[in-house]
Amino acid sequence: METGPVIAALAALAQESRLAIFRHLVQVGPAGSAASKIGEALAIAPSSLSFHMKELSHAGLVTSRQEGRFVIYAADYSRMNEVLRFLTDNCCGGNPCTPVAACCEPSSGIAGAAAKPC
C-alpha cells in the first residue's frame, strides 16, 4: 500500500465521530448498517453523519450500497487490514513477531455475521 492512501485513512479516523462510526461498523460486521441506525446508535444528526460518511468513504474505509430507500454502510475490512499491515510492516526491528496482518477477516459472508475476533 502506498503512503497516500494510508495518510487519507488515518486522517479520516483522526476525528472523534468518524472514529466512533468506523468502530461501530467494524463491530456490526460485514452486513453493515443503515445510515439511520448508525446515527441513532451514536447520537449523530443526519446532516453530520452524511458529512462523516463521505469522509470515511473517500478514504476507502467504508463501502455503501442502496437497499430500497436505505443506504447501508459497512467497514471495508480489506482496506482496514491493508492499513494495519502498512503500519506494522517491518515491525520488531526485523525480529520474528506475531503478525497483525488479516487480524479481522469478515466471516463467511452470512448476513448479520460478525467479524472474526483477533
Side-chain angles (χ1 to χ4, degrees):
M1 182 172 218
E2 298 293 321
T3 303
V6 173
I7 291 171
L10 293 174
L13 294 173
Q15 197 282 336
E16 188 175 355
S17 294
R18 289 192 291 270
L19 181 59
I21 292 165
F22 186 73
R23 292 187 72 206
H24 176 77
L25 289 173
V26 168
Q27 292 171 351
V28 167
S33 181
S36 58
K37 297 291 183 188
I38 298 167
E40 288 172 14
L42 301 174
I44 299 174
S47 59
S48 293
L49 181 68
S50 176
F51 170 77
H52 293 308
M53 296 312 297
K54 176 184 66 84
E55 294 297 313
L56 290 168
S57 185
H58 283 300
L61 293 169
V62 299
T63 60
S64 63
R65 68 183 185 280
Q66 193 77 35
E67 284 189 10
R69 61 184 191 142
F70 300 103
V71 177
I72 307 298
Y73 290 97
D76 186 330
Y77 290 94
S78 63
R79 176 57 64 102
M80 177 184 74
N81 285 323
E82 287 175 14
V83 171
L84 289 173
R85 274 191 287 281
F86 180 89
L87 293 172
T88 59
D89 194 29
N90 301 316
C91 71
C92 305
N95 297 315
C97 62
T98 305
V100 177
C103 174
C104 296
E105 292 293 328
S107 65
S108 61
I110 299 170
K116 293 179 185 175
C118 297

